Amino acid sequence: MAESTLWTLSIAAVTGGTAVLASWVTSRGSTRAARIQAETAADSQRRERLRDSRRTAYLDLIEQTHKMGELFWEVSDVLRQPYGDASTAALRPLGERQTAEYGRLRRCVRVVELEGPPPAADVALVVQKSTGEFHAAIRQALRDGAGEEGWAAAGERFDAAYSPFWRALETFVETARDAHQAR
């Protein structure tokens, strides 16, 4: 009988030890699975936040570029008027607005540079730089002593800047779309 009790206790000890070991292994496995699942969820949320912030940055830049385009059309209308005090007076506030709108555009480009990826940031910078000819044409038209010839040349220079400007925007939209869909 003592042998039977010893045998029963041995079996109970092995069974209990096995149960404790199995519980410990299961616990470690569950903990690891939970950690992997939490890391995967956090990574997924991080990627989704990045995707959303990039999308917002891209849309802000596109919107600001369109606002500048509308302003440029107003400037074109003024530059098509005959040179004189009235047309020069009408162009001055548009030149000031152009400078303010450029500041907003520059901020949008900086956000795209921050958000990335680099191809989108590079093309956003091209959009920003494509506004330089518009600004130079306005300065040329407002230069003291520009006269009718300077006014006409500024108008031609201004109108010639449209194609590179819109082409830069189209390239940005394509690049941004590719970057956005790659995620």
Side-chain angles (χ1 to χ4, degrees):
M1 176 96 170
E3 240 180 72
S4 171
T5 305
L6 184 60
W7 180 250
T8 304
L9 287 175
S10 296
I11 296 291
V14 169
T15 303
T18 303
V20 168
L21 182 61
S23 174
W24 178 76
V25 169
T26 302
S27 173
R28 286 201 30 110
S30 295
T31 302
R32 184 172 180 189
R35 185 178 65 243
I36 291 171
Q37 185 178 13
E39 289 171 356
T40 302
D43 187 52
S44 177
Q45 288 175 351
R46 183 194 61 75
R47 278 186 274 123
E48 190 60 31
R49 280 193 306 271
L50 178 61
R51 188 172 191 269
D52 288 345
S53 66
R54 283 181 176 173
R55 183 175 190 273
T56 300
Y58 300 160
L59 289 174
D60 288 347
L61 177 59
I62 292 167
E63 180 182 6
Q64 184 58 33
T65 304
H66 279 278
K67 285 180 182 178
M68 289 195 75
E70 291 171 10
L71 173 61
F72 292 155
W73 288 324
E74 290 179 50
V75 172
S76 284
D77 287 343
V78 171
L79 288 173
R80 287 188 181 99
Q81 297 173 8
Y83 173 75
D85 291 339
S87 54
T88 302
L91 184 59
R92 285 191 199 290
L94 293 175
E96 292 169 8
R97 276 183 49 207
Q98 187 271 334
T99 301
E101 293 296 332
Y102 175 79
R104 290 182 192 89
L105 178 76
R106 189 175 63 216
R107 180 198 167 282
C108 292
V109 169
R110 294 294 179 248
V111 173
V112 171
E113 287 177 328
L114 175 67
E115 295 294 333
D122 294 343
V123 179
L125 193 57
V126 172
V127 171
Q128 176 186 335
K129 289 181 178 183
S130 72
T131 64
E133 277 301 304
F134 292 111
H135 183 70
I138 292 171
R139 280 195 337 240
Q140 178 181 352
L142 292 174
R143 188 172 298 127
D144 287 338
E148 286 183 40
E149 277 186 29
W151 186 264
E156 290 172 12
R157 183 178 188 181
F158 196 89
D159 288 343
Y162 277 110
S163 291
F165 175 72
W166 291 119
R167 192 171 33 253
L169 177 61
E170 289 171 5
T171 302
F172 173 75
V173 169
E174 291 171 11
T175 305
R177 181 181 48 240
D178 291 347
H180 188 67
Q181 290 175 353
R183 296 283 170 204

